[in-house]
Amino acid sequence: MNSLNPSKIYQQGTRRRFAFTIASIGITVGIFYYLFKFVSLTEVIQLIKGVDRNALAMFVALSFSGSFFRTWRYQILLRFSGYKPSSIALFLVVLVRNFFSDLLPARVGTLIYIFMVNTRLAVPIGPATSSFAIAFLFDILAVAPLILLAAWAAAIKGQISSLPLLLGGLLLGAITLILIYSLPKLCTFFLSLFAKFQFFKHRWKEVLTKAIFSTREEIVKTQQAGLYTPVMVLSLLVRITKYASLYTFLYALLHPIGYILHDLHVPNVFLGICASELAASLPISGIAAFGAYEGTWALTFELLGFPGHIAKLTAISHHLFTQVYGYLLGAFALIVIMLPFFKKKESIMSH
């Protein structure tokens, strides 16, 4: 009977991570080299410095609104599990989650939510993981109807072929719904998988098994309680405010150089941003998704009718500003949430 060799598995994983890292760095360098052949750093800085202040304020308000709705959604899920963390503390955790979401490839950084909720807010690993998993999948599901609406609106104007987008939106929604309702079975699958692994130490195996079992129980209870409707509504609000904030900041960049709202067709801008977000979510996207995001933005916006120079210029300036903004906000939230008085301050059981 063949057994898994822990050393060999570790070496294969290391080589794979190294290959991904080299590939992502190469993609990032190549894309920025290409983009900066057409635009200069001075142009990027000048565009950001000349940003419309009123639209910038609206961008900030919308971004905070998105974090508020995300916090509210986590509160609903955690309270049903019997835990009522401080609203302020949970909001800070959401800001930290947003920070790490963009920092690591494939949105792996969002897992920081589980760690922070468990260690700083004293929520057990089961409820923390189940609230993360459900919210994560509903975030994806909420994009599907928005893609369908944008594709329909853009098709009416005859600007793009709607069929691929309509099919893509329907497929995304269908797959995500299947995953949402299959979460308990997926947990059961992972439990049986861990049982077969011989290279885990018994203590770690026991901890992981207990965590997965607890997560499955919480997910089942959430499904039976009918919480998916409010979670879906809040997920839509999270997505709408997020894309509205990114649209508003694009307007803030371009309004001072003569663009008006009529020039920024909402469905087109949404599809361009959505394509860039998808590229940033790929495992090969690299640190902070720099490169993949800009390259996809420049290509997509040009295909959607924007002048090539503007598409390339906004690809860099828009992503650069929003990333720095998110990092500063997240870093500040991380510093605050790590203060001693936040340590397990709220592990109150709600009755």
Side-chain angles (χ1 to χ4, degrees):
M1 182 177 177
N2 294 330
S3 59
L4 295 172
N5 187 323
S7 176
K8 188 174 181 180
I9 291 174
Y10 176 78
Q11 290 174 1
Q12 290 175 344
T14 302
R15 285 196 295 267
R16 193 177 297 112
R17 287 191 295 271
F18 179 75
F20 267 115
T21 301
I22 294 300
S24 64
I25 291 173
I27 289 172
T28 300
V29 171
I31 289 174
F32 273 108
Y33 174 78
Y34 171 76
L35 292 176
F36 276 113
K37 287 172 65 176
F38 300 94
V39 300
S40 67
L41 183 59
T42 301
E43 287 180 293
V44 171
I45 295 172
Q46 288 301 319
L47 191 66
I48 294 174
K49 285 176 65 177
V51 69
D52 183 290
R53 298 297 189 270
N54 292 329
L56 178 62
M58 181 59 70
F59 158 74
V60 172
L62 286 167
S63 73
F64 271 92
S65 297
S67 296
F68 167 77
F69 290 129
R70 196 181 292 276
T71 303
W72 189 0
R73 183 179 59 186
Y74 283 134
Q75 277 184 324
I76 288 175
L77 293 168
L78 292 174
R79 285 185 181 185
F80 176 76
S81 296
Y83 295 89
K84 187 182 177 184
S86 160
S87 297
I88 295 175
L90 190 57
F91 184 78
L92 291 171
V93 168
V94 166
L95 294 181
V96 173
R97 172 237 174 252
N98 296 344
F99 167 35
F100 279 88
S101 170
D102 291 331
L103 190 62
L104 299 176
R107 307 300 186 191
V108 173
T110 54
L111 291 169
I112 193 70
Y113 164 83
I114 299 174
F115 174 78
M116 297 297 292
V117 168
N118 177 243
T119 59
R120 304 308 297 175
L121 306 185
V123 175
I125 196 70
T129 305
S130 66
S131 63
F132 168 82
I134 292 169
F136 178 80
L137 287 174
F138 271 94
D139 264 339
I140 299 173
L141 180 62
V143 177
L146 298 181
I147 291 176
L148 294 174
L149 282 172
W152 174 73
I156 288 177
K157 284 203 166 189
Q159 296 170 314
I160 58 172
S161 174
S162 62
L163 184 59
L165 288 170
L166 290 172
L167 291 176
L170 289 171
L171 184 62
L172 178 66
I175 292 174
T176 310
L177 276 173
I178 291 171
L179 287 173
I180 288 171
Y181 284 98
S182 300
L183 276 175
K185 291 182 179 179
L186 287 173
C187 289
T188 302
F189 168 75
F190 282 118
L191 283 171
S192 62
L193 191 64
F194 278 124
K196 297 176 182 177
F197 285 164
Q198 302 301 320
F199 54 86
F200 273 118
K201 290 183 178 179
H202 177 72
R203 182 168 62 86
W204 283 109
K205 197 171 183 179
E206 187 177 344
V207 169
L208 285 170
T209 300
K210 185 178 179 181
I212 296 172
F213 180 82
S214 175
T215 300
R216 183 182 64 183
E217 294 303 301
E218 293 296 335
I219 291 171
V220 169
K221 287 194 297 183
T222 302
Q223 286 183 349
Q224 293 174 344
L227 291 182
Y228 281 179
T229 298
V231 168
M232 182 61 191
V233 171
L234 286 170
S235 298
L236 283 169
L237 290 172
V238 166
R239 284 297 181 178
I240 289 170
T241 50
K242 174 181 180 177
Y243 290 117
S245 71
L246 296 176
Y247 174 92
T248 302
F249 185 67
L250 178 62
Y251 173 77
L253 287 174
L254 295 179
H255 181 59
I257 60 173
Y259 278 75
I260 59 175
L261 289 174
H262 180 73
D263 299 320
L264 303 177
H265 189 49
V266 174
N268 283 10
V269 172
F270 166 75
L271 292 172
I273 294 174
C274 201
S276 305
E277 290 275 315
L278 176 61
S281 300
L282 298 175
I284 206 168
S285 62
I287 301 298
F290 281 116
Y293 190 100
E294 285 81 358
T296 305
W297 178 295
L299 174 63
T300 307
F301 273 82
E302 195 166 350
L303 289 173
L304 290 170
F306 281 75
H309 186 263
I310 292 296
K312 295 178 181 66
L313 183 58
T314 54
I316 300 171
S317 55
H318 191 284
H319 195 219
L320 177 63
F321 181 90
T322 53
Q323 290 297 91
V324 171
Y325 165 79
Y327 294 158
L328 291 175
L329 202 59
F332 174 77
L334 182 60
I335 292 170
V336 175
I337 197 67
M338 295 303 291
L339 294 175
F341 62 82
F342 272 113
K343 174 70 173 178
K344 297 188 177 181
K345 183 179 180 182
E346 293 283 355
S347 57
I348 302 172
M349 294 292 293
S350 57
H351 301 286

